[in-house]
mmCIF file with all atom_site columns, all heavy atoms in Angstrom:
data_model
loop_
_atom_site.group_PDB
_atom_site.id
_atom_site.type_symbol
_atom_site.label_atom_id
_atom_site.label_alt_id
_atom_site.label_comp_id
_atom_site.label_asym_id
_atom_site.label_entity_id
_atom_site.label_seq_id
_atom_site.pdbx_PDB_ins_code
_atom_site.Cartn_x
_atom_site.Cartn_y
_atom_site.Cartn_z
_atom_site.occupancy
_atom_site.B_iso_or_equiv
_atom_site.pdbx_formal_charge
_atom_site.auth_seq_id
_atom_site.auth_comp_id
_atom_site.auth_asym_id
_atom_site.auth_atom_id
_atom_site.pdbx_PDB_model_num
ATOM 1   N N   . PRO E 1 307 ? 0.744   14.108 -6.600  1.00 80.00 ? 307 PRO E N   1
ATOM 2   C CA  . PRO E 1 307 ? -0.264  14.251 -7.659  1.00 80.00 ? 307 PRO E CA  1
ATOM 3   C C   . PRO E 1 307 ? -0.497  12.953 -8.422  1.00 80.00 ? 307 PRO E C   1
ATOM 4   O O   . PRO E 1 307 ? -1.250  12.930 -9.378  1.00 80.00 ? 307 PRO E O   1
ATOM 5   C CB  . PRO E 1 307 ? 0.366   15.307 -8.564  1.00 80.00 ? 307 PRO E CB  1
ATOM 6   C CG  . PRO E 1 307 ? 1.837   15.085 -8.405  1.00 80.00 ? 307 PRO E CG  1
ATOM 7   C CD  . PRO E 1 307 ? 2.072   14.527 -7.022  1.00 80.00 ? 307 PRO E CD  1
ATOM 8   N N   . ARG E 1 308 ? 0.142   11.861 -8.010  1.00 91.00 ? 308 ARG E N   1
ATOM 9   C CA  . ARG E 1 308 ? 0.102   10.639 -8.806  1.00 91.00 ? 308 ARG E CA  1
ATOM 10  C C   . ARG E 1 308 ? -0.700  9.544  -8.108  1.00 91.00 ? 308 ARG E C   1
ATOM 11  O O   . ARG E 1 308 ? -0.368  8.362  -8.177  1.00 91.00 ? 308 ARG E O   1
ATOM 12  C CB  . ARG E 1 308 ? 1.529   10.160 -9.101  1.00 91.00 ? 308 ARG E CB  1
ATOM 13  C CG  . ARG E 1 308 ? 2.396   11.256 -9.743  1.00 91.00 ? 308 ARG E CG  1
ATOM 14  C CD  . ARG E 1 308 ? 3.685   10.692 -10.278 1.00 91.00 ? 308 ARG E CD  1
ATOM 15  N NE  . ARG E 1 308 ? 3.507   10.181 -11.616 1.00 91.00 ? 308 ARG E NE  1
ATOM 16  C CZ  . ARG E 1 308 ? 4.377   9.390  -12.244 1.00 91.00 ? 308 ARG E CZ  1
ATOM 17  N NH1 . ARG E 1 308 ? 5.463   8.975  -11.616 1.00 91.00 ? 308 ARG E NH1 1
ATOM 18  N NH2 . ARG E 1 308 ? 4.155   8.990  -13.462 1.00 91.00 ? 308 ARG E NH2 1
ATOM 19  N N   . VAL E 1 309 ? -1.772  9.925  -7.427  1.00 93.00 ? 309 VAL E N   1
ATOM 20  C CA  . VAL E 1 309 ? -2.664  8.941  -6.822  1.00 93.00 ? 309 VAL E CA  1
ATOM 21  C C   . VAL E 1 309 ? -3.850  8.747  -7.758  1.00 93.00 ? 309 VAL E C   1
ATOM 22  O O   . VAL E 1 309 ? -4.516  9.717  -8.131  1.00 93.00 ? 309 VAL E O   1
ATOM 23  C CB  . VAL E 1 309 ? -3.133  9.399  -5.430  1.00 93.00 ? 309 VAL E CB  1
ATOM 24  C CG1 . VAL E 1 309 ? -4.133  8.409  -4.852  1.00 93.00 ? 309 VAL E CG1 1
ATOM 25  C CG2 . VAL E 1 309 ? -1.930  9.559  -4.499  1.00 93.00 ? 309 VAL E CG2 1
ATOM 26  N N   . TYR E 1 310 ? -4.084  7.511  -8.161  1.00 94.00 ? 310 TYR E N   1
ATOM 27  C CA  . TYR E 1 310 ? -5.166  7.187  -9.086  1.00 94.00 ? 310 TYR E CA  1
ATOM 28  C C   . TYR E 1 310 ? -6.100  6.210  -8.389  1.00 94.00 ? 310 TYR E C   1
ATOM 29  O O   . TYR E 1 310 ? -5.654  5.382  -7.610  1.00 94.00 ? 310 TYR E O   1
ATOM 30  C CB  . TYR E 1 310 ? -4.603  6.562  -10.370 1.00 94.00 ? 310 TYR E CB  1
ATOM 31  C CG  . TYR E 1 310 ? -3.675  7.506  -11.081 1.00 94.00 ? 310 TYR E CG  1
ATOM 32  C CD1 . TYR E 1 310 ? -2.321  7.547  -10.763 1.00 94.00 ? 310 TYR E CD1 1
ATOM 33  C CD2 . TYR E 1 310 ? -4.160  8.404  -12.029 1.00 94.00 ? 310 TYR E CD2 1
ATOM 34  C CE1 . TYR E 1 310 ? -1.466  8.455  -11.377 1.00 94.00 ? 310 TYR E CE1 1
ATOM 35  C CE2 . TYR E 1 310 ? -3.320  9.307  -12.653 1.00 94.00 ? 310 TYR E CE2 1
ATOM 36  C CZ  . TYR E 1 310 ? -1.978  9.326  -12.321 1.00 94.00 ? 310 TYR E CZ  1
ATOM 37  O OH  . TYR E 1 310 ? -1.151  10.230 -12.927 1.00 94.00 ? 310 TYR E OH  1
ATOM 38  N N   . SER E 1 311 ? -7.383  6.309  -8.703  1.00 94.00 ? 311 SER E N   1
ATOM 39  C CA  . SER E 1 311 ? -8.280  5.358  -8.071  1.00 94.00 ? 311 SER E CA  1
ATOM 40  C C   . SER E 1 311 ? -9.418  5.008  -9.007  1.00 94.00 ? 311 SER E C   1
ATOM 41  O O   . SER E 1 311 ? -9.773  5.768  -9.897  1.00 94.00 ? 311 SER E O   1
ATOM 42  C CB  . SER E 1 311 ? -8.825  5.926  -6.763  1.00 94.00 ? 311 SER E CB  1
ATOM 43  O OG  . SER E 1 311 ? -9.605  7.069  -7.034  1.00 94.00 ? 311 SER E OG  1
ATOM 44  N N   . ASP E 1 312 ? -9.948  3.830  -8.780  1.00 94.00 ? 312 ASP E N   1
ATOM 45  C CA  . ASP E 1 312 ? -11.058 3.328  -9.573  1.00 94.00 ? 312 ASP E CA  1
ATOM 46  C C   . ASP E 1 312 ? -11.979 2.623  -8.586  1.00 94.00 ? 312 ASP E C   1
ATOM 47  O O   . ASP E 1 312 ? -11.583 1.611  -7.997  1.00 94.00 ? 312 ASP E O   1
ATOM 48  C CB  . ASP E 1 312 ? -10.519 2.346  -10.626 1.00 94.00 ? 312 ASP E CB  1
ATOM 49  C CG  . ASP E 1 312 ? -11.627 1.872  -11.556 1.00 94.00 ? 312 ASP E CG  1
ATOM 50  O OD1 . ASP E 1 312 ? -12.730 2.446  -11.513 1.00 94.00 ? 312 ASP E OD1 1
ATOM 51  O OD2 . ASP E 1 312 ? -11.380 0.914  -12.317 1.00 94.00 ? 312 ASP E OD2 1
ATOM 52  N N   . ASN E 1 313 ? -13.177 3.201  -8.372  1.00 94.00 ? 313 ASN E N   1
ATOM 53  C CA  . ASN E 1 313 ? -14.125 2.594  -7.450  1.00 94.00 ? 313 ASN E CA  1
ATOM 54  C C   . ASN E 1 313 ? -13.489 2.405  -6.068  1.00 94.00 ? 313 ASN E C   1
ATOM 55  O O   . ASN E 1 313 ? -13.515 1.320  -5.495  1.00 94.00 ? 313 ASN E O   1
ATOM 56  C CB  . ASN E 1 313 ? -14.609 1.255  -8.047  1.00 94.00 ? 313 ASN E CB  1
ATOM 57  C CG  . ASN E 1 313 ? -15.616 0.553  -7.153  1.00 94.00 ? 313 ASN E CG  1
ATOM 58  O OD1 . ASN E 1 313 ? -16.337 1.200  -6.411  1.00 94.00 ? 313 ASN E OD1 1
ATOM 59  N ND2 . ASN E 1 313 ? -15.631 -0.768 -7.206  1.00 94.00 ? 313 ASN E ND2 1
ATOM 60  N N   . ALA E 1 314 ? -12.884 3.470  -5.555  1.00 95.00 ? 314 ALA E N   1
ATOM 61  C CA  . ALA E 1 314 ? -12.190 3.369  -4.267  1.00 95.00 ? 314 ALA E CA  1
ATOM 62  C C   . ALA E 1 314 ? -12.415 4.638  -3.454  1.00 95.00 ? 314 ALA E C   1
ATOM 63  O O   . ALA E 1 314 ? -12.623 5.714  -4.009  1.00 95.00 ? 314 ALA E O   1
ATOM 64  C CB  . ALA E 1 314 ? -10.695 3.160  -4.488  1.00 95.00 ? 314 ALA E CB  1
ATOM 65  N N   . THR E 1 315 ? -12.400 4.473  -2.125  1.00 95.00 ? 315 THR E N   1
ATOM 66  C CA  . THR E 1 315 ? -12.460 5.624  -1.227  1.00 95.00 ? 315 THR E CA  1
ATOM 67  C C   . THR E 1 315 ? -11.471 5.387  -0.099  1.00 95.00 ? 315 THR E C   1
ATOM 68  O O   . THR E 1 315 ? -11.090 4.259  0.184   1.00 95.00 ? 315 THR E O   1
ATOM 69  C CB  . THR E 1 315 ? -13.865 5.798  -0.608  1.00 95.00 ? 315 THR E CB  1
ATOM 70  O OG1 . THR E 1 315 ? -14.205 4.584  0.079   1.00 95.00 ? 315 THR E OG1 1
ATOM 71  C CG2 . THR E 1 315 ? -14.917 6.094  -1.661  1.00 95.00 ? 315 THR E CG2 1
ATOM 72  N N   . GLY E 1 316 ? -11.081 6.488  0.544   1.00 95.00 ? 316 GLY E N   1
ATOM 73  C CA  . GLY E 1 316 ? -10.182 6.345  1.672   1.00 95.00 ? 316 GLY E CA  1
ATOM 74  C C   . GLY E 1 316 ? -9.187  7.476  1.731   1.00 95.00 ? 316 GLY E C   1
ATOM 75  O O   . GLY E 1 316 ? -9.416  8.546  1.163   1.00 95.00 ? 316 GLY E O   1
ATOM 76  N N   . VAL E 1 317 ? -8.106  7.217  2.434   1.00 95.00 ? 317 VAL E N   1
ATOM 77  C CA  . VAL E 1 317 ? -7.096  8.237  2.699   1.00 95.00 ? 317 VAL E CA  1
ATOM 78  C C   . VAL E 1 317 ? -5.739  7.708  2.237   1.00 95.00 ? 317 VAL E C   1
ATOM 79  O O   . VAL E 1 317 ? -5.361  6.591  2.585   1.00 95.00 ? 317 VAL E O   1
ATOM 80  C CB  . VAL E 1 317 ? -7.005  8.541  4.213   1.00 95.00 ? 317 VAL E CB  1
ATOM 81  C CG1 . VAL E 1 317 ? -5.968  9.618  4.483   1.00 95.00 ? 317 VAL E CG1 1
ATOM 82  C CG2 . VAL E 1 317 ? -8.362  8.942  4.759   1.00 95.00 ? 317 VAL E CG2 1
ATOM 83  N N   . VAL E 1 318 ? -5.037  8.508  1.467   1.00 96.00 ? 318 VAL E N   1
ATOM 84  C CA  . VAL E 1 318 ? -3.667  8.180  1.095   1.00 96.00 ? 318 VAL E CA  1
ATOM 85  C C   . VAL E 1 318 ? -2.766  9.278  1.637   1.00 96.00 ? 318 VAL E C   1
ATOM 86  O O   . VAL E 1 318 ? -2.977  10.456 1.355   1.00 96.00 ? 318 VAL E O   1
ATOM 87  C CB  . VAL E 1 318 ? -3.503  8.086  -0.432  1.00 96.00 ? 318 VAL E CB  1
ATOM 88  C CG1 . VAL E 1 318 ? -2.037  7.825  -0.796  1.00 96.00 ? 318 VAL E CG1 1
ATOM 89  C CG2 . VAL E 1 318 ? -4.394  6.997  -1.006  1.00 96.00 ? 318 VAL E CG2 1
ATOM 90  N N   . VAL E 1 319 ? -1.799  8.881  2.446   1.00 94.00 ? 319 VAL E N   1
ATOM 91  C CA  . VAL E 1 319 ? -0.816  9.831  2.958   1.00 94.00 ? 319 VAL E CA  1
ATOM 92  C C   . VAL E 1 319 ? 0.518   9.445  2.340   1.00 94.00 ? 319 VAL E C   1
ATOM 93  O O   . VAL E 1 319 ? 0.954   8.295  2.464   1.00 94.00 ? 319 VAL E O   1
ATOM 94  C CB  . VAL E 1 319 ? -0.720  9.764  4.497   1.00 94.00 ? 319 VAL E CB  1
ATOM 95  C CG1 . VAL E 1 319 ? 0.274   10.798 5.013   1.00 94.00 ? 319 VAL E CG1 1
ATOM 96  C CG2 . VAL E 1 319 ? -2.090  9.979  5.126   1.00 94.00 ? 319 VAL E CG2 1
ATOM 97  N N   . THR E 1 320 ? 1.130   10.372 1.649   1.00 92.00 ? 320 THR E N   1
ATOM 98  C CA  . THR E 1 320 ? 2.321   9.999  0.894   1.00 92.00 ? 320 THR E CA  1
ATOM 99  C C   . THR E 1 320 ? 3.272   11.167 0.808   1.00 92.00 ? 320 THR E C   1
ATOM 100 O O   . THR E 1 320 ? 2.846   12.295 0.585   1.00 92.00 ? 320 THR E O   1
ATOM 101 C CB  . THR E 1 320 ? 1.934   9.521  -0.519  1.00 92.00 ? 320 THR E CB  1
ATOM 102 O OG1 . THR E 1 320 ? 3.091   9.602  -1.358  1.00 92.00 ? 320 THR E OG1 1
ATOM 103 C CG2 . THR E 1 320 ? 0.854   10.394 -1.133  1.00 92.00 ? 320 THR E CG2 1
ATOM 104 N N   . ASP E 1 321 ? 4.529   10.905 1.007   1.00 82.00 ? 321 ASP E N   1
ATOM 105 C CA  . ASP E 1 321 ? 5.512   11.949 0.764   1.00 82.00 ? 321 ASP E CA  1
ATOM 106 C C   . ASP E 1 321 ? 6.422   11.560 -0.402  1.00 82.00 ? 321 ASP E C   1
ATOM 107 O O   . ASP E 1 321 ? 7.483   12.123 -0.575  1.00 82.00 ? 321 ASP E O   1
ATOM 108 C CB  . ASP E 1 321 ? 6.325   12.269 2.026   1.00 82.00 ? 321 ASP E CB  1
ATOM 109 C CG  . ASP E 1 321 ? 6.938   11.034 2.649   1.00 82.00 ? 321 ASP E CG  1
ATOM 110 O OD1 . ASP E 1 321 ? 6.906   9.971  2.012   1.00 82.00 ? 321 ASP E OD1 1
ATOM 111 O OD2 . ASP E 1 321 ? 7.465   11.129 3.766   1.00 82.00 ? 321 ASP E OD2 1
ATOM 112 N N   . SER E 1 322 ? 5.964   10.575 -1.191  1.00 84.00 ? 322 SER E N   1
ATOM 113 C CA  . SER E 1 322 ? 6.767   10.153 -2.335  1.00 84.00 ? 322 SER E CA  1
ATOM 114 C C   . SER E 1 322 ? 6.151   10.679 -3.618  1.00 84.00 ? 322 SER E C   1
ATOM 115 O O   . SER E 1 322 ? 5.114   11.321 -3.601  1.00 84.00 ? 322 SER E O   1
ATOM 116 C CB  . SER E 1 322 ? 6.839   8.626  -2.389  1.00 84.00 ? 322 SER E CB  1
ATOM 117 O OG  . SER E 1 322 ? 5.633   8.102  -2.905  1.00 84.00 ? 322 SER E OG  1
ATOM 118 N N   . LYS E 1 323 ? 6.795   10.421 -4.720  1.00 87.00 ? 323 LYS E N   1
ATOM 119 C CA  . LYS E 1 323 ? 6.224   10.753 -6.021  1.00 87.00 ? 323 LYS E CA  1
ATOM 120 C C   . LYS E 1 323 ? 5.860   9.468  -6.769  1.00 87.00 ? 323 LYS E C   1
ATOM 121 O O   . LYS E 1 323 ? 5.712   9.441  -7.981  1.00 87.00 ? 323 LYS E O   1
ATOM 122 C CB  . LYS E 1 323 ? 7.199   11.596 -6.852  1.00 87.00 ? 323 LYS E CB  1
ATOM 123 C CG  . LYS E 1 323 ? 7.348   13.026 -6.356  1.00 87.00 ? 323 LYS E CG  1
ATOM 124 C CD  . LYS E 1 323 ? 6.164   13.909 -6.765  1.00 87.00 ? 323 LYS E CD  1
ATOM 125 C CE  . LYS E 1 323 ? 6.175   15.279 -6.067  1.00 87.00 ? 323 LYS E CE  1
ATOM 126 N NZ  . LYS E 1 323 ? 5.691   15.185 -4.652  1.00 87.00 ? 323 LYS E NZ  1
ATOM 127 N N   . ARG E 1 324 ? 5.748   8.377  -6.022  1.00 91.00 ? 324 ARG E N   1
ATOM 128 C CA  . ARG E 1 324 ? 5.352   7.120  -6.640  1.00 91.00 ? 324 ARG E CA  1
ATOM 129 C C   . ARG E 1 324 ? 3.920   7.191  -7.141  1.00 91.00 ? 324 ARG E C   1
ATOM 130 O O   . ARG E 1 324 ? 3.079   7.887  -6.562  1.00 91.00 ? 324 ARG E O   1
ATOM 131 C CB  . ARG E 1 324 ? 5.408   5.987  -5.619  1.00 91.00 ? 324 ARG E CB  1
ATOM 132 C CG  . ARG E 1 324 ? 6.777   5.771  -5.053  1.00 91.00 ? 324 ARG E CG  1
ATOM 133 C CD  . ARG E 1 324 ? 6.965   4.352  -4.637  1.00 91.00 ? 324 ARG E CD  1
ATOM 134 N NE  . ARG E 1 324 ? 6.082   3.956  -3.556  1.00 91.00 ? 324 ARG E NE  1
ATOM 135 C CZ  . ARG E 1 324 ? 5.941   2.703  -3.187  1.00 91.00 ? 324 ARG E CZ  1
ATOM 136 N NH1 . ARG E 1 324 ? 6.587   1.754  -3.837  1.00 91.00 ? 324 ARG E NH1 1
ATOM 137 N NH2 . ARG E 1 324 ? 5.164   2.393  -2.192  1.00 91.00 ? 324 ARG E NH2 1
ATOM 138 N N   . VAL E 1 325 ? 3.649   6.432  -8.184  1.00 95.00 ? 325 VAL E N   1
ATOM 139 C CA  . VAL E 1 325 ? 2.264   6.231  -8.587  1.00 95.00 ? 325 VAL E CA  1
ATOM 140 C C   . VAL E 1 325 ? 1.606   5.324  -7.542  1.00 95.00 ? 325 VAL E C   1
ATOM 141 O O   . VAL E 1 325 ? 2.172   4.299  -7.163  1.00 95.00 ? 325 VAL E O   1
ATOM 142 C CB  . VAL E 1 325 ? 2.189   5.594  -9.985  1.00 95.00 ? 325 VAL E CB  1
ATOM 143 C CG1 . VAL E 1 325 ? 0.786   5.075  -10.270 1.00 95.00 ? 325 VAL E CG1 1
ATOM 144 C CG2 . VAL E 1 325 ? 2.603   6.613  -11.041 1.00 95.00 ? 325 VAL E CG2 1
ATOM 145 N N   . ILE E 1 326 ? 0.434   5.732  -7.069  1.00 96.00 ? 326 ILE E N   1
ATOM 146 C CA  . ILE E 1 326 ? -0.321  4.897  -6.134  1.00 96.00 ? 326 ILE E CA  1
ATOM 147 C C   . ILE E 1 326 ? -1.699  4.676  -6.745  1.00 96.00 ? 326 ILE E C   1
ATOM 148 O O   . ILE E 1 326 ? -2.400  5.637  -7.053  1.00 96.00 ? 326 ILE E O   1
ATOM 149 C CB  . ILE E 1 326 ? -0.436  5.570  -4.756  1.00 96.00 ? 326 ILE E CB  1
ATOM 150 C CG1 . ILE E 1 326 ? 0.971   5.769  -4.171  1.00 96.00 ? 326 ILE E CG1 1
ATOM 151 C CG2 . ILE E 1 326 ? -1.308  4.738  -3.814  1.00 96.00 ? 326 ILE E CG2 1
ATOM 152 C CD1 . ILE E 1 326 ? 0.982   6.466  -2.827  1.00 96.00 ? 326 ILE E CD1 1
#
Side-chain angles (χ1 to χ4, degrees):
Chain E
R308 306 192 86 194
V309 176
Y310 299 88
S311 64
D312 184 11
N313 180 28
T315 57
V317 181
V318 177
V319 182
T320 161
D321 53 10
S322 77
K323 288 282 170 282
R324 299 208 296 169
V325 166
I326 299 178

